[in-house]
Amino acid sequence: MIMASEYFEAQAADVMATAGGDPANAGQLAAWAEDARLRRDWQRLGVIVAYDGTLVAETIRLNVLVGVSVVYVTDALVELPDPDDAEGTILDLACGAIRQQIGQPIIHVPAWQVCTGAARGVVSAGVPRRQKTSA
């Protein structure tokens, strides 16, 4: 597997920690985010990640009516016993089936959460980000 840059590793670790998972399991998410940001139309994408860090499925957010968007599961990234319970299904309806099939908690990560913003502890222009200053 290709190693992600420090920025994407920090972003993915933050997302995993915030969701209650182990930040050490963020490697696959970081690599996915970097690939999405560099090579794809990432703004509408997302990914379902198991707590062990395994990427389970990709998602896409579609605008179905003015002001209304729906997130669909597009592609299973692991072999699921019944992929029809996930692929092409609205995210909220697919999550229970996916959790049951893989036997562990999952989180949905919209690409913007790992592709944008300041990453904790990543140096940019010589200044570490998200560090608190003493007053």
Side-chain angles (χ1 to χ4, degrees):
M1 174 154 79
I2 298 171
M3 294 294 294
S5 71
E6 182 182 8
Y7 171 81
F8 290 100
E9 288 175 4
Q11 290 290 82
D14 282 353
V15 167
M16 289 296 285
T18 300
D22 184 351
N25 293 337
Q28 289 184 36
L29 176 58
W32 177 87
E34 186 165 24
D35 177 69
R37 179 76 166 138
L38 297 174
R39 295 177 185 84
R40 300 166 68 186
D41 180 17
W42 61 272
Q43 289 87 350
R44 299 179 308 136
L45 298 180
V47 66
I48 297 170
V49 183
Y51 265 35
D52 70 1
T54 303
L55 301 184
V56 178
E58 284 194 326
T59 65
I60 190 165
R61 178 183 41 82
L62 300 175
N63 296 324
V64 293
L65 296 170
V66 175
V68 177
S69 61
V70 177
V71 177
Y72 291 94
V73 177
T74 55
D75 296 307
L77 301 174
V78 296
E79 190 169 321
L80 295 172
D82 192 353
D84 290 338
D85 285 348
E87 291 180 356
T89 304
I90 294 173
L91 176 66
D92 292 344
L93 299 175
C95 281
I98 291 171
R99 271 191 304 272
Q100 186 175 19
Q101 289 185 44
I102 66 170
Q104 61 180 303
I106 59 173
I107 59 171
H108 176 248
V109 182
W112 64 264
Q113 285 186 326
V114 285
C115 291
T116 62
R120 185 179 323 252
V122 174
V123 175
S124 174
V127 179
R129 304 246 176 137
R130 289 191 190 170
Q131 286 190 351
K132 294 182 181 180
T133 58
S134 9

